[in-house]
Amino acid sequence: MLNIKRINMRDICFFFLCFFLFDGAFHTTRFIFGGSNIGRLAILGVMMFMVFLSWTSITIKMNNYYYFIFLLTGLLFFGLIKTLILDGDINFATSYITGFVYLLYLPILNYLVNDKRSLERILLAVTIIGSLVSVLGVLVLLFSFGSPLLYHSLVNFLYEHEIAVIIASFGVTVRVILSGVVFQVAAIFIGIYRYISSNKKKRNLIFLGINILAVYITYSRALIVGTILGICLLICFSRQYTASEKRRFRGLLVITVIAMIIIVLNLVIGGGKVGGVVEYLFDRLFGRSNDTNVSGVFREHMMEMIYEKILKAPIFGHGLGGHIDLRDGTIEMTYHDIIIKMGIVGLISFVLPYFYMFFSIRKKKIIYLQQTCLICALTSIMCATYYNPYLITSTGLFIYCLCIRVFLLKESLMVESDSFSLST
């Protein structure tokens, strides 16, 4: 029989959070409710209600991260008021606030993550969700090689459930970007952490490889370069790992280098389908593919309009209704969009928590594995966000808020112990 006494409010809230994150990648509730977000709003409301009920048991101390977030929240409301006063486009304003509403992850994570066990199960949930997304992406690639019927059935299913962002065939390969791509990137870095810290190396290595392959076949230059940058940053941080962590991390790097050599040799020799998969990436990286050229021309035109718009109100922006008159008015380059709407002040308030976390690591004499892997995951996502709207989403802001939460925990969280105290 179910032991009711052992089920507490945090466990229930954690279950809702896991389903909410799963829904962010697979849009289950949107499919059930015919495209409406009412299901997601209901789940978010339930979680916030649980946090509110437990508020008296949570000790919160103001710190620099919260100051930055409160400043950003104030600028959002200022931008909304500015839109109303200047008769701006209220539809753009409301959709923008809808994106930033996921900053509510902060109080939820403040409630849920208070010891090593709670952090580990959050990281495991992200890894599972990211790996499920990656498995779907890899299946699309494999089916495109050998089973057209299964390929088209799976693609139709992914589009029908709004899981697919881009699935397109290019010669012998296929490009696959799914809605949970942020979790795929995060799963790579959490997978590195789990490989180094766990004894179950084969299993972690398999899923790490699947996630790397799935991010690779997005053929997104921003995502791939961002992931490489995050890994390079992780290599720099690894200099201050413990001896055993260094040994395991170097072993993982050796495996990666060997795999890359095999791939490059396959390209040089001209190895059929696999060679084509590699060749297409090089075509995109060096601007030789048709889709890259078309995208480049469009972005050049868009950038001219963006800079013209920014120069008219560079400090506090045009309000949340601000946009350029191109296509549907939306801008994929998130940081430029923030400047248009909230100015340079808004952008600074948004990115300051990241830099504060980064430099807090640099000042430490001891580098903690969990913190470095998470900040490197966030670095990769923020890098990719320069050209793509990955960060101001339910998945992107979750990684953003999770990093803040982990950096707010006392150093006792980073040692092998099951009880920790909060610094918030």
Side-chain angles (χ1 to χ4, degrees), residues 163-178:
I163 300 172
V165 177
I166 296 175
I167 299 179
S169 297
F170 295 96
V172 297
T173 189
V174 61
R175 186 182 184 196
V176 185
I177 301 181
L178 304 180

Side-chain angles (χ1 to χ4, degrees), residues 197-230:
S197 61
S198 171
N199 292 324
K200 299 177 181 178
K201 300 220 174 334
K202 290 183 180 178
R203 185 181 66 183
N204 289 320
L205 188 62
I206 290 171
F207 283 102
L208 182 58
I210 291 173
N211 285 307
I212 291 174
L213 175 60
V215 170
Y216 176 92
I217 62 174
T218 65
Y219 296 109
S220 168
R221 290 170 292 177
L223 275 173
I224 293 172
V225 171
T227 302
I228 293 173
L229 177 63

Side-chain angles (χ1 to χ4, degrees), residues 116-117 119-128 131 186-205 207-208 211 234 248-249 252 369-370 373:
K116 184 182 175 72
R117 175 178 171 273
L119 174 60
E120 289 290 344
R121 66 181 186 174
I122 290 283
L123 297 180
L124 179 61
V126 174
T127 304
I128 292 173
S131 298
I188 290 175
F189 291 93
I190 298 173
I192 293 173
Y193 158 67
R194 295 179 65 83
Y195 177 86
I196 296 173
S197 61
S198 171
N199 292 324
K200 299 177 181 178
K201 300 220 174 334
K202 290 183 180 178
R203 185 181 66 183
N204 289 320
L205 188 62
F207 283 102
L208 182 58
N211 285 307
L234 194 59
R248 293 178 177 183
F249 185 64
L252 184 59
L369 190 59
Q370 294 100 325
C373 288

Side-chain angles (χ1 to χ4, degrees), residues 12-42:
I12 297 173
C13 190
F14 172 73
F15 169 79
F16 277 111
L17 177 63
C18 288
F19 182 75
F20 192 79
L21 297 178
F22 180 87
D23 188 64
F26 295 98
H27 296 155
T28 309
T29 58
R30 190 180 297 176
F31 181 77
I32 293 173
F33 291 99
S36 172
N37 285 321
I38 189 171
R40 288 185 61 75
L41 293 175

Side-chain angles (χ1 to χ4, degrees), residues 96 99-100 102 334 338 350 385 389-394 396-397:
Y96 206 65
F100 274 106
Y102 294 111
T334 300
I338 291 175
F350 183 62
T385 296
Y390 294 130
L391 195 54
I392 307 179
T393 62
S394 65
L397 284 180

Side-chain angles (χ1 to χ4, degrees), residues 6 12 22 135 141 182 230 362 379:
R6 297 191 63 181
I12 297 173
F22 180 87
V135 167
L141 177 67
V182 168
R362 297 293 297 172
T379 299

Side-chain angles (χ1 to χ4, degrees), residues 244-263:
S244 61
E245 290 172 347
K246 283 182 180 179
R247 184 173 62 255
R248 293 178 177 183
F249 185 64
R250 288 169 182 169
L252 184 59
L253 289 178
V254 169
I255 295 172
T256 304
V257 170
I258 293 173
M260 291 179 65
I261 291 174
I262 293 173
I263 291 172

